[in-house]
């Protein structure tokens, strides 16, 4: 009996492995096709300061495949596993620049708006053509590099430290700024952080969630804020969902926020509406 059971378990295992592999192959195929078809779209999540000014936005990618929206956590990591992140990443940068240029030309942005943040995958950043490409994208759209904030994650720092430092320094000299995304969840050596031209730490949502949780004895958020202050970096918190979290952050030295409390990521049309409504509220 045990033997029979064992064998059937093995069969089930093989079957689900096969299914998984098949699903992944479909995903890669669809992703490849989606890149050829330009089937992605962008959404924009506002970033605010504690005087309620819109100081920027983060661009996030969206993909609806066969009628179903696929989470970026799924398709971005699939794109990263293949080289598809390179063409997708180039499209994201071009489309972000094009959109930003339009907003500026039409004077749709408030004066407080000073950054559009773009997520850059490690593989995309390590592409030898990255610097040339992003510089060209900026030049083509007649934008100032200061307007783009490149969001990197700590996974990048598992790569060649020397190359990373050189690339970041070169881009920083050109005027691009860097934010360290999901800060605190990944790998970074603190002494190394200090030697990189990082302008901003972005406190990960998981720490923001813990803020008023009495089960967490010490506040990681406080430590990150202090670290950022010591390193002379700006600090923004992501995933801010409640007024209590926002008040805590503000009282502890973090004055920039992004999260559902203010707005979900919005389509371009709705983002522009958000800006208009927001400025009319500020006028009264
Ligand atoms: P991320 O860069 O840390 O982006 C923040 C994620 O948190 C977004 O999820 C956003 O929708 C979500 N979020 C924002 N505020 C809140 C909140 O108050 N509560 C909760 N529960 N969630 C909030 P999204 O859009 O699903 O993206 C997930 C991840 O996928 C991103 O994390 C980023 O790592 C990656 N990603 C998304 N778009 C791009 C892209 O264009 N390029 C690259 N390389 N990665 C991207
Ligand atoms: Mg991000
Ligand atoms: Mg993040
Ligand atoms: Mg995060």
């Amino acid at each position: 009996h045990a033997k029979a059971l064992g064998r059937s378990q093995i069969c089930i295992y093989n079957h689900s492995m096969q299914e998984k592999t098949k699903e992944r192959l479909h995903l890669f195929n669809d992703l490849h096709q989606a890149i050829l078809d330009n089937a992605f779209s962008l959404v924009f999540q506002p970033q605010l300061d504690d005087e309620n000014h819109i100081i920027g936005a983060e661009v996030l990618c969206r993909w609806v495949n066969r009628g179903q929206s696929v989470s970026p956590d799924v398709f971005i990591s699939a794109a990263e596993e293949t080289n598809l992140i390179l063409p997708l990443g180039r499209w994201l940068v071009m489309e972000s620049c094009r959109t930003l240029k339009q907003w500026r030309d039409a004077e749709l942005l408030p004066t407080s708006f000073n950054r559009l943040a773009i997520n850059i995958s490690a593989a995309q950043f390590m592409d030898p053509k990255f610097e040339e490409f992003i510089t060209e994208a900026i030049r083509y759209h007649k934008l100032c590099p200061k307007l783009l904030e490149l969001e990197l994650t700590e996974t990048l720092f598992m790569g060649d430290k020397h190359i990373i430092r050189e690339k970041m320094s070169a881009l920083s000299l050109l005027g691009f700024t860097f934010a360290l995304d999901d800060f605190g969840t990944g790998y970074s050596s603190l002494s190394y952080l200090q030697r990189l031209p990082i302008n901003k730490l972005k406190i990960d949502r998981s720490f923001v969630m813990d803020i008023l949780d009495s089960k967490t004895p010490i506040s990681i958020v406080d430590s990150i804020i202090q670290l950022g202050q010591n390193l002379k970096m700006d600090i923004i918190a992501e995933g801010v969902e409640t007024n209590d979290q926002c008040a805590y952050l503000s009282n502890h030295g973090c004055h920039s926020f992004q999260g559902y409390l203010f707005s979900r990521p919005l389509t371009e049309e709705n983002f522009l509406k958000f800006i208009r409504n927001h400025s009319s509220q500020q006028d009264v």
Side-chain angles (χ1 to χ4, degrees), residues 58-60 117-119 151 153 181-182 202 238 258:
E58 178 178 10
V59 190
L60 295 156
I118 308 182
N119 293 284
E151 287 197 4
T153 59
D181 202 357
D182 302 337
K202 205 165 178 186
E238 69 174 7
Q258 180 182 337

Side-chain angles (χ1 to χ4, degrees), residues 19-126:
E19 283 296 302
K20 276 232 171 79
T21 312
K22 233 163 68 186
E23 261 172 44
R24 290 199 75 68
L25 278 177
H26 280 306
L27 179 64
F28 290 144
N29 275 331
D30 287 358
L31 201 53
H32 189 218
Q33 192 56 46
I35 288 167
L36 298 174
D37 296 346
N38 263 335
F40 301 93
S41 59
L42 301 181
V43 288
F44 305 88
Q45 189 175 29
Q47 299 175 333
L48 290 94
D49 67 12
D50 54 6
E51 284 166 13
N52 207 25
H53 294 119
I54 301 170
I55 52 170
E58 178 178 10
V59 190
L60 295 156
C61 187
R62 292 292 177 262
W63 181 33
V64 178
N65 186 32
R66 302 173 191 269
Q68 284 212 307
S69 89
V70 186
S71 158
D73 287 319
V74 172
F75 74 81
I76 295 287
S77 41
E80 282 167 347
E81 276 177 53
T82 58
N83 266 335
L84 293 175
I85 194 64
L86 298 183
L88 176 57
R90 283 194 287 268
W91 180 83
L92 285 164
V93 168
M94 283 307 268
E95 193 62 12
S96 301
C97 288
R98 195 186 62 76
T99 310
L100 183 58
K101 171 71 175 158
Q102 249 178 20
W103 293 346
R104 297 211 9 126
D105 284 354
E107 295 180 24
L108 299 172
L109 297 169
T111 49
S112 55
F113 187 103
N114 53 32
R115 297 260 185 295
L116 185 66
I118 308 182
N119 293 284
I120 306 289
S121 290
Q124 190 184 354
F125 188 79
M126 291 314 279

Side-chain angles (χ1 to χ4, degrees), residues 232-248:
K232 309 257 182 303
M233 293 175 188
D234 291 336
I235 302 146
I236 185 167
E238 69 174 7
V240 181
E241 294 185 356
T242 68
N243 278 311
D244 287 348
Q245 290 168 344
C246 190
Y248 181 96

Side-chain angles (χ1 to χ4, degrees), residues 127-238:
D127 176 15
K129 288 261 164 71
F130 180 72
E131 182 185 330
E132 186 189 327
F133 171 76
I134 198 153
T135 311
E136 196 44 47
I138 285 283
R139 198 174 296 151
Y140 178 83
H141 291 96
K142 302 194 175 65
L143 287 168
C144 173
K146 263 205 190 77
L147 284 169
L148 286 198
E149 180 170 79
L150 309 181
E151 287 197 4
L152 305 174
T153 59
E154 292 165 284
T155 32
L156 175 68
F157 304 148
M158 296 193 301
D160 186 314
K161 294 202 162 21
H162 185 71
I163 296 179
I164 293 160
R165 181 134 65 109
E166 298 237 299
K167 291 184 82 136
M168 286 183 72
S169 303
L171 286 163
S172 168
L173 278 175
L174 290 169
F176 292 95
T177 59
F178 292 103
L180 202 46
D181 202 357
D182 302 337
F183 185 72
T185 61
Y187 160 93
S188 36
S189 118
L190 298 185
S191 65
Y192 180 57
L193 267 193
Q194 148 182 280
R195 282 184 267 125
L196 294 175
I198 296 165
N199 308 78
K200 191 182 283 181
L201 293 183
K202 205 165 178 186
I203 306 174
D204 189 61
R205 180 163 67 89
S206 58
F207 303 123
V208 174
M209 277 169 59
D210 282 347
I211 281 179
L212 295 154
D213 176 357
S214 53
K215 279 171 275 156
T216 317
I218 49 159
S219 167
I220 306 262
V221 162
D222 289 32
S223 315
I224 296 178
I225 293 172
Q226 260 166 37
L227 178 69
Q229 285 170 347
N230 291 341
L231 296 174
K232 309 257 182 303
M233 293 175 188
D234 291 336
I235 302 146
I236 185 167
E238 69 174 7

